[in-house]
Amino acid sequence: MFKYTKMFSTKITPQREAIPGSIQVPNSAGGYTWQLDDWARLDRFLVLGSEGGTFYVGERDLTVDNANVVRRCLVADGPRTIHRIVAISDAGRAPKNDPAIFSLAMAAKLGDEATRRAAYAALPKVCRIGTHLMHFAEYAQGFGGWGRGMRKAVGSWFNARPPADLALQLAKYQSRDGWSNRDLLRLAHPRAASPSHDRLFAWAVKGEIPDGALEDPAFALIAAMTELKHITDVAMAAQLIRERRVPRECVPTELLQHAVIWDALLGAMPMTALIRNLATMTRVGLLAPGSAGTKRVAAMLQDRERLTKARVHPIGVLAALMTYKAGRGVRGSGTWEPVASIVDALDVAFYASFKAIVPAGKRMLLALDVSGSMASGAVAGVPNLTPRIASAAMALVTAATERDHAFVAFTSAPGGYGGQWGGGQSGITSLSISPRQRLDDVVSDVGKLPMGGTDCALPMIWAQKHRVDVDTFCVYTDNETWAGSVHPAQALRAYRDARGISAKLVVVGMTSTGFSIADPNDAGMLDVVGFDTSTPPVIADFARV
Ligand code: CA
């Protein structure tokens, strides 16, 4: 008998060929995977962005590719696109707001009439602070000029704020990335909503406090900011900062050398600013082992409600932890002695900044793709945060809630220098990482694993061979699989048959490409987006039913 099915079968197909009868497409690595639809891709882009590119695709091409996805979504259904942009941005699900702002600018400039109107109406929800608005102006400029809709929307952005809040925005974010409030107000030219607005606009445009404005309570912050420029007594400056809740951006640089000033700033400091300034606060001595400042900051960092309200993203916390622990800045901006209890608090903050998870109570195999391509690129543009490290951190969140879990890392032997040389024949390495370890230790453990080619079917093949019972496989990958002799979806079906378990597969996509190893026609397979704060609860919900 000639073995026809050895060469053509729907059950065993090499990854370098499409499964017969399927609608698989080639991925960037020469393997065949499924193509995500544009709505799923829109989600990936809004959460992961395209900054830094991937191992296979440069930053520019990945951006063009994703922008075309946004464009197609806008053509297909503009209001639905805007709804997605708002949902992901407003819930703080993405590490960076820029992809949402960029997509909203595209909608405002390229959408049809109804889409444009909806985009401008959504402006305050997506652009919540001055910096966001300046980024919107910059992105919108790439697609057109300042029409009537744009002028009106930007004008209302300023006018709709109560005077005290407007003063804060104008004082705190005076200019960013080539744009200033002065530029925006001149171009939008809004008619002031109140006399206070009028005075504040005048101050932002001319840089001088209008006559009589100091009697206006809306000018309390701006008056304090002006006073601070002339105060030489540090204690007096600290008192003024505390009383008027002055943000760091409005304090002269010389004053920022003093611990008492930072102590005063803490009272009104937003969580994101707190997380970004830990090194500075350590350098000036506010944060020291056992100090009152350390206790206060550590408590703030672990406050789930504060983290949620401020939309602190776990990626931001992870990046802060990696930098702070290192004791020196990425761009060589000085050194400091990291305080252990602050590092511990950041570790707690990382888990607390995800959406709450109800455990599924299932047997889970958390499988990390540690192939060569996963060590390239930077998640959300954070230096040194590769998809491989990010996926380990992401998997820890599920591990922290699911008692019955195991970790494996996989990389295939052929075409790489890992596999049989680095970690056993099958290319599967059992990982002894745990959420009880501190994140920075996990990061360094995962960083040291051997790399090689990519075969995303390995976790299922391994579990079948070793008779490991798994209800849900979670594979963290860039979906650039190519090296295996069977597709991951086929390996999952073979596993189900062999073990008699209706096992599921969750594919956690760590890059914003359009590929997936999950078969869209199999209800037991699901695509989710890596580093979306709502991904761990989604995984649990999918695994539970
Ligand atoms: Ca790879």
Side-chain angles (χ1 to χ4, degrees):
M1 182 179 94
F2 182 68
K3 302 223 159 97
Y4 280 102
T5 50
K6 214 173 164 196
M7 295 172 194
F8 193 85
S9 151
T10 55
K11 285 169 101 173
I12 299 170
T13 313
Q15 290 174 17
R16 287 185 169 281
E17 294 166 22
I19 296 174
S22 78
I23 46 162
Q24 287 188 318
V25 296
N27 63 22
S28 312
Y32 277 78
T33 45
W34 279 279
Q35 174 82 51
L36 287 181
D37 75 20
D38 280 342
W39 297 106
R41 289 207 62 187
L42 177 67
D43 282 7
R44 269 196 196 176
F45 174 59
L46 289 171
V47 173
L48 298 167
S50 57
E51 206 177 331
T54 73
F55 177 78
Y56 295 101
V57 193
E59 188 172 70
R60 191 177 181 281
D61 287 348
L62 191 63
T63 303
V64 170
D65 204 23
N66 276 298
N68 277 316
V69 169
V70 179
R71 200 179 45 78
R72 288 197 299 273
C73 287
L74 285 169
V75 170
D77 191 339
R80 179 179 170 187
T81 311
I82 290 161
H83 190 261
R84 271 329 267 166
I85 296 169
V86 173
I88 287 175
S89 170
D90 192 38
R93 286 168 54 185
K96 287 201 168 171
N97 202 22
D98 279 353
I101 300 172
F102 170 76
S103 304
L104 191 70
M106 271 182 88
K109 286 290 163 192
L110 307 180
D112 59 20
E113 179 64 32
T115 303
R116 289 205 300 267
R117 217 177 307 127
Y120 286 129
L123 187 64
K125 278 208 165 127
V126 175
C127 299
R128 298 175 290 269
I129 57 171
T131 306
H132 295 163
L133 186 66
M134 289 170 199
H135 288 182
F136 180 79
E138 175 66 17
Y139 292 142
Q141 189 148 278
F143 302 110
W146 277 67
R148 212 175 70 87
M150 178 88 174
R151 287 202 302 273
K152 216 175 127 207
V154 172
S156 321
W157 191 92
F158 289 106
N159 261 329
R161 288 172 186 270
D165 181 34
L166 176 63
L168 177 68
Q169 294 296 325
L170 293 177
K172 194 173 164 181
Y173 311 102
Q174 296 189 21
S175 62
R176 290 287 187 283
D177 304 297
W179 283 86
S180 66
N181 287 317
R182 189 165 175 245
D183 303 332
L184 294 173
L185 285 165
R186 278 188 166 169
L187 285 161
H189 206 70
R191 189 138 55 97
S194 77
S196 289
H197 284 80
D198 195 41
R199 291 183 202 110
L200 288 165
F201 291 168
W203 175 75
V205 172
K206 296 185 194 128
E208 289 163 19
I209 298 177
D211 289 342
L214 290 175
E215 272 98 81
D216 186 341
F219 268 80
L221 174 65
I222 291 164
M225 194 172 141
T226 317
E227 245 177 276
L228 281 171
K229 284 184 188 152
H230 308 290
I231 296 185
T232 45
D233 186 298
V234 176
M236 272 174 67
Q239 200 188 339
L240 187 64
I241 289 166
R242 196 168 282 134
E243 275 169 17
R244 305 272 178 91
R245 302 177 67 76
V246 180
R248 176 186 48 94
E249 289 86 345
C250 301
V251 176
T253 324
E254 314 84 70
L255 285 174
L256 295 173
Q257 320 288 328
H258 304 279
V260 282
I261 296 292
W262 283 94
D263 189 46
L265 285 167
L266 275 182
M269 193 181 290
M271 285 300 281
T272 39
L274 181 79
I275 289 167
R276 275 196 217 117
N277 287 290
L278 293 169
T280 308
M281 289 190 281
T282 305
R283 226 168 16 220
V284 301
L286 178 68
L287 302 181
S291 75
T294 297
K295 287 191 185 111
R296 189 170 167 203
V297 169
M300 286 167 81
L301 286 173
Q302 297 173 67
D303 187 333
R304 185 184 272 269
E305 208 183 309
R306 264 179 198 261
L307 291 164
T308 309
K309 222 175 134 210
R311 300 184 177 82
V312 170
H313 196 277
I315 275 279
V317 180
L318 180 58
L321 192 151
M322 285 163 67
T323 308
Y324 185 72
K325 176 74 195 306
R328 58 189 165 77
V330 178
R331 287 169 206 89
S333 55
T335 58
W336 60 90
E337 198 65 50
V339 178
S341 57
I342 295 296
V343 182
D344 289 339
L346 282 169
D347 201 69
V348 174
F350 174 77
Y351 294 98
S353 52
F354 281 94
K355 305 267 176 287
I357 309 163
V358 181
K362 300 283 182 182
R363 295 164 292 190
M364 297 220 183
L365 187 68
L366 307 170
L368 310 183
D369 175 352
V370 294
S371 66
S373 64
M374 289 289 281
S376 180
V379 172
V382 177
N384 304 325
L385 189 62
T386 60
R388 143 199 276 243
I389 287 171
S391 53
M394 191 74 194
L396 283 177
V397 180
T398 294
T401 51
E402 300 297 343
R403 217 173 41 161
D404 206 347
H405 71 263
F407 278 104
V408 292
F410 62 92
T411 180
S412 88
Y417 38 86
Q420 82 265 39
W421 297 343
Q425 279 185 337
S426 68
I428 286 273
T429 313
S430 273
L431 277 181
S432 60
I433 59 173
S434 140
R436 285 185 301 279
Q437 269 174 288
R438 236 179 26 202
L439 270 174
D440 47 311
D441 295 330
V442 172
V443 163
S444 103
D445 282 2
V446 171
K448 283 182 217 136
L449 290 167
M451 297 187 250
T454 316
D455 177 2
C456 288
L458 285 173
M460 280 73 73
I461 295 171
W462 174 83
Q464 183 179 338
K465 191 175 158 202
H466 294 91
R467 301 166 194 271
V468 178
D469 287 341
V470 177
D471 297 310
T472 303
F473 292 90
C474 291
V475 177
Y476 301 79
T477 180
D478 57 7
N479 290 288
E480 304 284 15
T481 191
W482 54 272
S485 55
V486 53
H487 281 260
Q490 294 173 323
L492 176 69
R493 284 191 270 269
Y495 176 86
R496 286 171 179 160
D497 289 346
R499 304 289 311 152
I501 300 172
S502 54
K504 293 176 181 175
L505 170 65
V506 181
V507 182
V508 189
M510 302 304 298
T511 55
S512 62
T513 57
F515 309 116
S516 175
I517 57 169
D519 182 346
N521 293 317
D522 186 321
M525 301 189 206
L526 177 74
D527 277 295
V528 291
V529 186
F531 263 105
D532 181 334
T533 51
S534 72
T535 284
V538 168
I539 293 175
D541 292 345
F542 178 72
R544 190 177 306 114
V545 287

